[in-house]
Amino acid sequence: MTAVIVSGGCRVALAQQQPSSKASWIASPNSQPCPVNRFVYFRREVRLDSLGSDLTLHVAADSNAHIWINGRVVRRKVTRYFEHSITTETIDARKFVHLGLNTVVILNHSWGPVVTFQRTGCTHSGVFVSSSWLISDSMWRCRPAQEFARNDAQIVGVPSAEGAQGDHRISFAQFLYGDRM
C-alpha cells in the first residue's frame, strides 16, 4: 500500500479497491497505519446540482464508522470488512441529501491489529466511500476526535453463561471529554 498526505491532513491510502471505483482508502496522518482505539473525523462537502436516479453510497471502514449526512445520522455503525476482500455497506442516501451543498461526516474508530473470525487484522485504518456522487479521495478533510480519551486497553468479552463459548466481542472502554465536544 502506498500513502500520501493530502490537503486537510488526511492520507490517501492506495489499497485494494473495487475494480469499477476510482475511490481510495483515506486514513488519518498517524505515524501508525493501524492505531489502537483511535477516533478520527472525516468530512467532505459535495454540491449536488441534481438528484439523479442513483444516490446509493457504498462505505467500508476499518475498524468501524458512524456516518452523518447534513447533520442526520445515516449509520451508527458501518461494519468491518475482510482485509483482502472489501465488502461495502450499501446506503440509500436519497432521504439525507438535497440540492445544493451537502456535508458528509464519518467518525472512524480504528481498533488496531485485532484479529477475529470476522476480520484478518489491519494493514491500514480508515474509510472507503464510493458512489456516483461522492468518493473517498484527496478532497476529504480529517482531524482527530479529541473528545475521546486515548485508551489502548482492549476489553475481551466474557461468556454469557457458565460453560458457554461466550461472546468475545471486540470492545474498548471509551471515555469522553465533555469539554472537548
Side-chain angles (χ1 to χ4, degrees):
M1 174 179 63
T2 305
V4 293
I5 303 297
V6 297
S7 64
C10 295
R11 179 181 55 175
V12 175
L14 304 175
Q16 289 185 331
Q17 302 172 358
Q18 295 180 338
S20 61
S21 178
K22 294 179 181 173
S24 298
W25 279 94
I26 56 175
S28 70
N30 192 308
S31 60
Q32 301 171 303
C34 288
V36 175
N37 196 29
R38 296 298 179 264
F39 293 82
V40 175
Y41 284 109
F42 294 90
R43 184 175 189 273
R44 175 80 156 76
E45 291 183 338
V46 60
R47 180 170 300 283
L48 296 177
D49 295 326
S50 68
L51 299 178
S53 60
D54 183 14
L55 291 171
T56 304
L57 193 61
H58 300 278
V59 181
D62 192 351
S63 300
N64 62 50
H66 302 269
I67 303 171
W68 296 265
I69 298 177
N70 294 322
R72 295 176 57 199
V73 174
V74 175
R75 285 291 188 276
R76 294 198 186 276
K77 184 176 183 182
V78 171
T79 57
R80 57 202 156 273
Y81 72 102
F82 189 70
E83 185 82 32
H84 300 290
S85 177
I86 298 169
T87 302
T88 60
E89 186 157 338
T90 302
I91 299 166
D92 181 1
R94 182 166 306 283
K95 64 182 179 180
F96 302 102
V97 298
H98 53 258
L99 292 174
L101 195 61
N102 292 269
T103 303
V104 178
V105 174
I106 300 175
L107 174 60
N108 177 230
H109 179 196
S110 172
W111 295 344
V114 175
V115 177
T116 72
F117 73 96
Q118 297 173 316
R119 67 192 302 261
T120 56
C122 179
T123 58
H124 58 83
S125 63
V127 296
F128 176 89
V129 179
S130 177
S131 73
S132 62
W133 57 279
L134 179 66
I135 62 171
S136 46
D137 61 9
S138 64
M139 300 302 293
W140 288 72
R141 295 186 310 166
C142 67
R143 72 168 180 82
Q146 295 184 5
E147 67 271 25
F148 291 94
R150 292 181 68 109
N151 176 25
D152 295 343
Q154 179 184 347
I155 300 168
V156 178
V158 295
S160 55
E162 189 173 325
Q165 291 296 316
D167 186 6
H168 300 283
R169 296 177 185 227
I170 305 302
S171 183
F172 291 92
Q174 297 176 7
F175 304 100
L176 288 174
Y177 291 119
D179 61 341
R180 296 184 185 176
M181 295 178 73

